Amino acid sequence: MAADSADAQLAELGSALLSRADELADTMLGLMRRDVDFHRTVALVTDDQLRSTVRSHLDFILGAFGQPGRAYDTSAAAATGRNRAAAGVPLPAVMDSYRKCARFLWDELRAEAARSATVSDGGLVHAASAMWMVLDEFTTAMVSGYQEEIARQVVGRQRERSAMVQALIDGRLPDNLDIWNTADALRISLRGPYVVVCAELSSIGRSVLPDIESRLAAKGIASAWRLQPDIEVGILQLGPRMLDLVLKELDAYRAPRIGISPPISDLGETAVALRYARIAMTGSRPDRASVTVFDRDVMAVTAVADPDVMARLSATVLGPLDDLADHERDVLLDTLEAWLDNGGSAERAAGALYVHPNTVRQRLRKLEHRTGRVLTDPRAAAELCIALETARRAPKPAAPRPEG
């Protein structure tokens, strides 16, 4: 069959169906309301909107039959995808509507060909090819439009949620209604307890906890996060015994230091909780554990709560060691730390240090002699412990810059 004859038959079929476009649109609307589960039970899209969409699609699809080689204008399909996404219609429901309407249109195309005295079997095959090609273009455009709108919504929601987290950590939501609206937008319950997580960044503005929200959600923990220039802040709603799950997830990251606040019962207390989380973060020691829980590590929190005061106290307690060589001073402090870590046992401390227990005892006696504080005195031991914790967290002096 000649190409011009096939195109003429295609144009004939398109024109015949286009003359019945209103009737076809009404039938398709009925099909969607009857056979598409979503449209049968949910009325997010009105009959007028559905019929208008079907009618415009018929105009484009059937009109294309009379114009071989025409570049398809799929803007209507893309707009349909965006509109359905904006209305909250699931993509599978939209795809189901397209499939059922396409099947109906194919049946009508075959019936029209059967009624025609001039359309051959070859002409019908040509029409089928043209119809499915146009439908494929339209479906692709619709899905792209749908995905564009969903992406836009996600970005918008993330910005809104991030702004609300910022308002909470700034303490700028004094009204209960604002708190309720914020909890709803953040998808966390109004009922606590909550904790605030504060993670130090390795470089300005770059997340150290990527995907943390989805990872916590998989464990049943709702959270909302805000990235700031120097820290990453999260508000977590915790149920019973969930804190250990949080710690396990956070341990999987390589954040320099992470702090977790004490529990709070009211989102209005977020700003205060962040201050405690920052203190806990500052008290973290990456050489031991990058995550510090405010309520679980009293010594770490105490050592950094007031840096100037604690530095002065540490210098007072450990100052008598300053006239020792650096390596000798470090040996004494390492031994004290091992002894404290091992419950005051010289034997277990020796095992950790790979030395003889008597070596541990000799070093501790030298420490006691120099500082004037005996470890068998609980108060003296506490002073040495706090001084040590403070010294371990003191900023390292900057390396001297080479001259020249």
Side-chain angles (χ1 to χ4, degrees), residues 155-275:
V155 170
R157 283 196 295 268
Q158 285 301 103
R159 287 175 177 169
E160 179 185 15
R161 296 180 79 225
S162 181
M164 288 183 171
V165 172
Q166 187 66 54
L168 283 174
I169 63 182
D170 289 344
R172 292 190 281 108
L173 290 175
D175 187 89
N176 281 339
L177 180 60
D178 289 335
I179 295 289
W180 295 337
N181 291 336
T182 298
D184 181 63
L186 297 181
R187 298 194 294 276
I188 58 179
S189 172
L190 267 172
R191 300 181 61 184
Y194 315 95
V195 296
V196 173
V197 174
C198 183
E200 183 179 42
L201 303 188
S202 301
S203 57
I204 294 176
R206 179 170 294 181
S207 172
V208 290
L209 303 174
D211 302 323
I212 184 62
E213 185 171 347
S214 59
R215 291 182 62 162
L216 291 176
K219 303 293 184 181
I221 301 169
S223 64
W225 295 81
R226 170 76 176 180
L227 184 64
Q228 296 189 313
D230 61 332
I231 58 172
E232 195 161 1
V233 181
I235 302 171
L236 284 60
Q237 180 192 1
L238 295 185
R241 296 179 294 279
M242 282 187 172
L243 183 56
D244 288 332
L245 289 176
V246 173
L247 293 175
K248 184 176 180 180
E249 291 299 323
L250 292 176
D251 281 338
Y253 292 92
R254 295 184 176 179
R257 297 182 296 178
I258 302 174
I260 301 179
S261 76
I264 56 175
S265 58
D266 188 332
L267 284 174
E269 303 170 25
T270 301
V272 174
L274 175 59
R275 183 165 64 87

Side-chain angles (χ1 to χ4, degrees), residues 212-350:
I212 184 62
E213 185 171 347
S214 59
R215 291 182 62 162
L216 291 176
K219 303 293 184 181
I221 301 169
S223 64
W225 295 81
R226 170 76 176 180
L227 184 64
Q228 296 189 313
D230 61 332
I231 58 172
E232 195 161 1
V233 181
I235 302 171
L236 284 60
Q237 180 192 1
L238 295 185
R241 296 179 294 279
M242 282 187 172
L243 183 56
D244 288 332
L245 289 176
V246 173
L247 293 175
K248 184 176 180 180
E249 291 299 323
L250 292 176
D251 281 338
Y253 292 92
R254 295 184 176 179
R257 297 182 296 178
I258 302 174
I260 301 179
S261 76
I264 56 175
S265 58
D266 188 332
L267 284 174
E269 303 170 25
T270 301
V272 174
L274 175 59
R275 183 165 64 87
Y276 291 139
R278 266 191 179 274
I279 292 171
M281 180 192 76
T282 306
S284 295
R285 285 179 56 185
D287 61 320
R288 307 193 73 180
S290 62
V291 184
T292 296
V293 181
F294 189 96
D295 285 348
R296 291 189 180 182
D297 198 335
V298 175
M299 285 297 180
V301 170
T302 300
V304 298
D306 190 329
D308 291 338
V309 171
M310 296 309 299
R312 178 62 182 267
L313 293 176
S314 178
T316 298
V317 174
L318 300 180
L321 304 180
D322 289 347
D323 61 343
L324 297 174
D326 287 347
H327 75 277
E328 190 175 356
R329 184 179 187 274
D330 290 342
V331 164
L332 294 184
L333 294 181
D334 289 345
T335 302
L336 173 61
E337 186 165 44
W339 183 79
L340 291 168
D341 287 343
N342 287 278
S345 167
E347 287 75 15
R348 293 203 298 272

